[in-house]
Amino acid sequence: MKPFIFDARNGIHIIDLSKTLTQLETACDFLTATVRKGGKVLFVGTKKQAQHAIKEIAKECGQFYVTERWLGGTMTNFNTLKRSIARLKEIEKMEADGSLARYGKQEQAVIRREAARLHKYFDGIREMDRIPAAIFVVDIKREHNAVAEARKLKVPVVAIVDTNCDPDLVDFPIAGNDDAIRSVRLLLATIGQVITQAQAEFESKRARRPVTGEPAPAEAPPAAPAPVEAQPATSAPVETPITEIAPVGAVPPMLP
């Protein structure tokens, strides 16, 4: 972290904010490009200073979050994670349709405790059906398991890196104080704003895209030929009968 420290006074390191701004812009550009392609971001922060802020920002921009203890294998053992989430949804469905009432009181209590535990750890990632495109971490020293899993799966890591952390462990470090609530909220607000805008652009682009398999509009039938106007019938020329001239002196026939 030495390149990002401006000065040290009385054992307190002062971060160079000009470099923080540059790093923040780089991280925002990366996250914007990722979300525009339809990728999802997983926010990770289990320390008390960051829990509420991460949960709030992640919900606002429609992303996933982990604010309780990071369970080992959340990404590297994703199939097991999906089974746990499916169990949570199953219990919630039982509670909604009343089928849970068929069990005895002790069994209901056990099932509800199981649901409470699953909800505590998996509520923020219950809709995550695949590995996220990137993760955003607050305090990489505390969340070293999450960073290690992301590095193993080659998932890009964006993180707030304090002076006691190694910035080489993440792809897009942001030098900042991860212990101060105001500092964490300021950085999260900026990240959340760019992700929300990128998500809106992706949704708009997807809405304009034609749905695959949709039948093409039927072609209009050919127009019927215009009716031909009937020509007025011309009467045949009337032949004028030629009167036969009787010879001179002939007597005309008498009518009976």
Side-chain angles (χ1 to χ4, degrees), residues 8-196:
R9 298 175 183 174
N10 300 326
I12 299 175
H13 295 91
I14 301 174
I15 296 174
D16 189 347
L17 295 182
S18 62
K19 295 184 178 179
T20 299
L21 179 60
T22 303
Q23 293 174 325
L24 180 60
E25 291 175 350
T26 304
C28 288
D29 292 340
F30 165 73
L31 292 175
T32 299
T34 300
V35 177
R36 278 179 181 169
K37 297 176 183 177
K40 289 290 187 177
V41 180
L42 174 61
F43 287 81
V44 182
T46 60
K47 62 196 313 181
K48 291 184 178 180
Q49 297 93 317
Q51 283 180 335
H52 182 70
I54 284 181
K55 188 174 182 179
E56 180 182 352
I57 295 298
K59 285 185 174 181
E60 286 180 359
C61 56
Q63 306 300 314
F64 309 124
Y65 62 90
V66 173
T67 55
E68 298 297 333
R69 184 172 65 89
W70 176 272
L71 299 179
T74 298
M75 290 194 296
T76 54
N77 196 8
F78 192 63
N79 291 330
T80 302
L81 174 71
K82 288 195 293 185
R83 286 198 293 269
S84 299
I85 295 175
R87 174 60 177 166
L88 172 61
K89 293 181 179 180
E90 179 186 359
I91 296 175
E92 290 178 345
K93 184 179 179 181
M94 292 169 58
E95 186 78 31
D97 59 16
S99 59
L100 185 62
R102 301 174 186 173
Y103 294 87
K105 290 185 178 179
Q106 291 185 350
E107 292 177 334
Q108 290 183 28
V110 171
I111 294 174
R112 287 195 173 98
R113 282 197 297 269
E114 180 186 2
R117 181 178 59 83
L118 293 173
H119 185 274
K120 177 181 179 181
Y121 293 115
F122 301 124
D123 185 47
I125 54 177
R126 59 187 305 159
E127 301 300 333
M128 189 171 72
D129 55 356
R130 55 195 171 104
I131 301 297
I135 67 171
F136 183 90
V137 182
V138 177
D139 193 351
I140 62 175
K141 196 167 185 178
R142 182 186 181 95
E143 315 299 343
H144 61 277
N145 288 332
V147 175
E149 290 188 24
R151 287 170 59 87
K152 184 176 181 179
L153 297 176
K154 300 187 184 307
V155 176
V157 181
V158 182
I160 300 176
V161 182
D162 209 337
T163 54
N164 62 340
C165 301
D166 183 6
D168 295 333
L169 296 176
V170 298
D171 301 280
F172 298 92
I174 303 174
N177 186 356
D178 56 20
D179 295 318
I181 299 178
R182 292 178 61 184
S183 172
V184 172
R185 280 189 172 275
L186 178 61
L187 295 174
L188 282 174
T190 305
I191 295 292
Q193 185 177 1
V194 298
I195 290 179
T196 301

